[in-house]
Amino acid sequence: MRTFVFLAVVVLAGTGGDLAVTHAMKQIGEVKSFSPRALLGVMWRALKSRWIWLGIALMTVAFFALLAVLTWAEVSFVVPATAANYVVGAVGAKFLLKERVSQTRWAGLLLVAAGVALVCAAR
Amino acid sequence: MPSSRNLLAKTIPLLIAVPIFGSLGNVLLGKGMRGMGKIPDLSFPSLAAYLLKILSSGWIWLGIGSLLIFFISYMLVLSWADYSYVMPVTAVGYVLAPLLAHIFLGEVVPGKRWAGAVFIFLGVAVVGRTPPSTTRQV
């Protein structure tokens, strides 16, 4: 039970962090120039965004929750289970970021999630 | 459509940089930390000394630099591309790891891992057929 609670935190905080960073970058807007000056400007705006810091905070929570769960649960169970990130992340992208996740993209996502689970399960 | 070609021209290099610098950073940090030995005890002075030792390692700084490049590339590509596109496509790193371990380190890669790599490769190919951005305003 404790393992599942922590795994849920790992997956939800991890994808939540990614979604927050994505939201921040979409607010900043499409980067069109890659000159050092332009990139510094983008980074400066990013550092001023609350969403970036929320994202980094959530990623930190996910990281420490993963470290914690690994102290008692099997790596060969925990790490493949984090492949759930792909599915949860796509659901979040669809409903929170309003991305259009087509059936083709879903098919590819599920293949990737299954593949990541397999790769991580093989020890 | 020239606009979608331009989009791919800047999306693809970043999608290659993300998994490479991400996994390179982790490997470098791992290499740096392996040379550190165990944490002696949890008192403040010995933790501070341990932290100083970590920060004096060249591998650690290379790892931090690599992860910084990873995160900046990730942020840049997400300024226009869908998260539901970037996330699966960058999983290609999981395919690279067993492949490189096999070629350069002569590691025996278990069959399950190759099977997983094939799944990921196919999945990335399928997601790659969808437009990188579905929310972009041109």
Side-chain angles (χ1 to χ4, degrees):
Chain A
M1 184 60 200
R2 189 172 56 148
T3 307
F4 282 100
V5 171
F6 271 76
L7 262 178
V9 172
V10 171
V11 171
L12 292 176
T15 52
D18 273 352
L19 292 169
V21 168
T22 308
H23 182 65
M25 293 314 293
K26 290 288 172 349
Q27 279 185 333
I28 289 170
E30 180 177 353
V31 176
K32 291 192 164 135
S33 161
F34 294 88
S35 71
R37 199 190 152 88
L39 290 183
L40 277 177
V42 170
M43 288 305 132
W44 177 242
R45 283 163 72 193
L47 290 177
K48 285 195 301 186
S49 158
R50 266 188 229 164
W51 286 98
I52 286 282
W53 293 107
L54 176 67
I56 291 174
L58 284 170
M59 286 173 184
T60 310
V61 169
F63 178 73
F64 283 107
L66 180 67
L67 285 189
V69 75
L70 284 175
T71 60
W72 70 80
E74 293 266 351
V75 177
S76 58
F77 167 71
V78 171
V79 179
T82 57
N85 274 335
Y86 292 92
V87 178
V88 175
V91 172
K94 181 178 161 67
F95 290 104
L96 300 175
L97 302 174
K98 311 289 177 213
E99 293 178 4
R100 287 198 296 277
V101 186
S102 61
Q103 284 184 350
T104 311
R105 187 172 285 177
W106 267 118
L109 268 159
L110 292 174
L111 277 169
V112 168
V116 170
L118 268 173
V119 167
C120 298
R123 290 277 161 194
Chain B
M1 226 181 4
S3 153
S4 75
R5 191 176 304 158
N6 284 343
L7 193 63
L8 276 181
K10 65 178 186 178
T11 304
I12 290 172
L14 288 170
L15 289 179
I16 294 172
V18 165
I20 289 180
F21 284 102
S23 39
L24 183 67
N26 286 330
V27 168
L28 290 168
L29 282 189
K31 194 170 166 58
M33 287 308 292
R34 213 161 291 166
M36 290 299 141
K38 283 217 164 123
I39 301 177
D41 59 276
L42 294 178
S43 72
F44 181 74
S46 57
L47 280 183
Y50 194 75
L51 191 65
L52 266 179
K53 199 171 140 195
I54 291 173
L55 294 180
S56 64
S57 154
W59 293 116
I60 296 286
W61 285 106
L62 281 176
I64 292 174
S66 184
L67 288 177
L68 210 57
I69 297 176
F70 151 78
F71 199 63
I72 291 173
S73 312
Y74 194 54
M75 283 165 64
L76 290 178
V77 75
L78 284 174
S79 79
W80 65 82
D82 286 1
Y83 175 58
S84 60
Y85 178 88
V86 171
M87 157 193 61
V89 169
T90 51
V92 91
Y94 286 100
V95 180
L96 285 178
L99 207 62
L100 294 178
H102 181 67
I103 295 171
F104 293 108
L105 304 174
E107 270 182 28
V108 181
V109 177
K112 232 188 194 174
R113 191 166 282 184
W114 285 125
V118 170
F119 269 69
I120 294 171
F121 193 76
L122 290 175
V124 170
V126 170
V127 175
R129 295 178 64 89
T130 64
S133 177
T134 58
T135 57
R136 182 169 175 251
Q137 278 125 34
V138 185

